[in-house]
Amino acid sequence: MKAKRNWSLLLGAAFLMATSAVGPGFLTQTTVFTQSLAASFGFVILASIILDIGVQLNVWRIIAVSEKRAQDIANMLLPGLGLFIAVLIVLGGFAFNIGNVGGAGLGFNVLFGISPEMGAVVAAAIAIGIFLVREAKKVMDRFAQIMGLLMILLIVYVAITSAPPVGEAVVKTFIPDKIDLIAIITLVGGTVGGYITFAGGHRLLDAGVKGESSLSEVNTSAVSGITVASIIRIFLFLAALGVVSKGLVLDESNPPASVFQLAAGNIGYKLFGIVMVSAAITSVIGSAYTSVSFIKSFHKSIEQNENWFIIGFITISTAIFVTIGRPVHLLILAGALNGLILPITLGTILIAAHKTQIIGRYKHPLWLTIFGILVVLVMAWMGGYTLMKQLPDLFS
């Protein structure tokens, strides 16, 4: 019975992380990069998967062994650091949740013709409904699994319909015509950056999967999360490649919708609506849950009323989108800061991995430490570059 319960929890955490990653931005990134790199984008996906697994194993293992959330680990290293990280996570979570509810609104617009604003309200109501249930986290886990599987099935169908050059894609995955480092870094940030990797790590901790004895389960869940997100990315890449390889041009205003429509006609366009709604609502849920998990250890009242804080988070995000749309300056700032969250949080985790007062007698694998340091350096460089590049837009 325990084995069955644990397996359900591991899958729940994996799908929560994966579906948190697969939002409107994920869909757009994948189609745009496929359009620019064609079959060679397969190499970018492969490289990013390897990096994603390294990042996620580092983060989830230390959270499990220390039996503490990321912000508490940071505060043990340097008082106030955890609060700083929490502020970054919540700011980014709010900004991207505005985009997520907007994406859900767009999906409902495609499906039923209602306004994006009304669609956003419907999406928020669905997400809020989950946290009104007594066993909200179990319902959240199951909802993420169902939506994740639904997205996989629909995207696989569209990929088959678009008839991509699979052989060429396989060859270019290992022997690309062009290596785009910016694309690799962007994909890593979009899969495990910001709050995303902590969605599953904190979920396992909340479910009681913790301690050094649980590391095999943690490893399984961490890799499963990346696998689910990668399956969705790979088949969306193949769907887009099938369209692009025929010389068809994607609509710049909505590239992923173009892929579905050009591959499978009007039916494909409706399927895009379903995928967009599924991706956006699960990202709304993952962002809200994880953002609140970063502040709930700061005061008992937050932890005792966690679901209500999550509901408030979703409500405020939706209200901002419905009343003023997407606040450009906030999105620019959040996007710039998001690039710095991964190097800061991963760097913190790597230091904590070698502090006995945090992890006890546990010995963190040297290869994971080296791997993590390389990711921190690369992502810090890219994050700093992005921040400097976007600062003029912020003050314009």
Side-chain angles (χ1 to χ4, degrees), residues 336-355:
L337 293 177
N338 193 58
L340 295 175
I341 292 176
L342 181 57
I344 292 172
T345 53
L346 180 56
T348 300
I349 290 292
L350 291 173
I351 296 171
H354 301 280
K355 297 289 184 180

Side-chain angles (χ1 to χ4, degrees), residues 17-147:
M17 172 266 144
T19 55
S20 293
V22 182
F26 181 103
L27 301 178
T28 302
Q29 282 176 359
T30 304
T31 51
V32 169
F33 280 130
T34 302
Q35 187 175 27
S36 62
L37 297 173
S40 294
F41 184 52
F43 176 82
V44 172
I45 294 175
L46 177 62
S48 67
I49 290 172
I50 295 170
L51 294 172
D52 292 339
I53 291 174
V55 170
Q56 191 129 296
L57 284 175
N58 268 305
V59 173
W60 288 26
R61 286 172 68 94
I62 299 307
I63 288 175
V65 171
S66 67
E67 302 185 12
K68 294 176 176 61
R69 296 181 186 88
Q71 70 272 21
D72 299 322
I73 294 172
N75 273 335
M76 289 185 71
L77 283 178
L78 179 65
L81 179 59
L83 178 60
F84 174 70
I85 290 174
V87 169
L88 290 181
I89 293 287
V90 172
L91 174 63
F94 260 124
F96 291 113
N97 236 21
I98 294 168
N100 290 333
V101 294
L106 175 62
F108 278 119
N109 172 259
V110 169
L111 288 173
F112 305 114
I114 62 177
S115 70
E117 290 78 14
M118 180 58 68
V121 171
V122 173
I126 294 172
I128 288 171
I130 289 174
F131 293 101
L132 291 174
V133 177
R134 178 176 294 180
E135 295 188 332
K137 289 177 182 175
K138 289 184 179 179
V139 176
M140 176 181 70
D141 290 347
R142 186 55 55 89
F143 184 80
Q145 291 173 44
I146 293 171
M147 291 297 100

Side-chain angles (χ1 to χ4, degrees), residues 201-275:
H202 283 186
R203 177 68 188 105
L204 287 180
L205 194 62
D206 284 344
V209 181
K210 57 187 179 181
E212 194 169 348
S213 61
S214 69
L215 282 180
S216 61
E217 294 175 311
V218 172
N219 291 342
T220 298
S221 188
V223 174
S224 296
I226 299 299
T227 301
V228 172
S230 300
I231 288 172
I232 295 173
R233 177 130 24 216
I234 289 167
F235 279 102
L236 183 58
F237 155 61
L238 290 174
L241 183 62
V243 170
V244 172
S245 65
K246 294 179 178 65
L248 301 174
V249 180
L250 303 183
D251 180 1
E252 290 184 5
S253 65
N254 198 343
S258 291
V259 169
F260 282 71
Q261 190 165 28
L262 292 171
N266 289 332
I267 293 176
Y269 189 57
K270 294 297 183 182
L271 294 181
F272 162 75
I274 297 173
V275 170

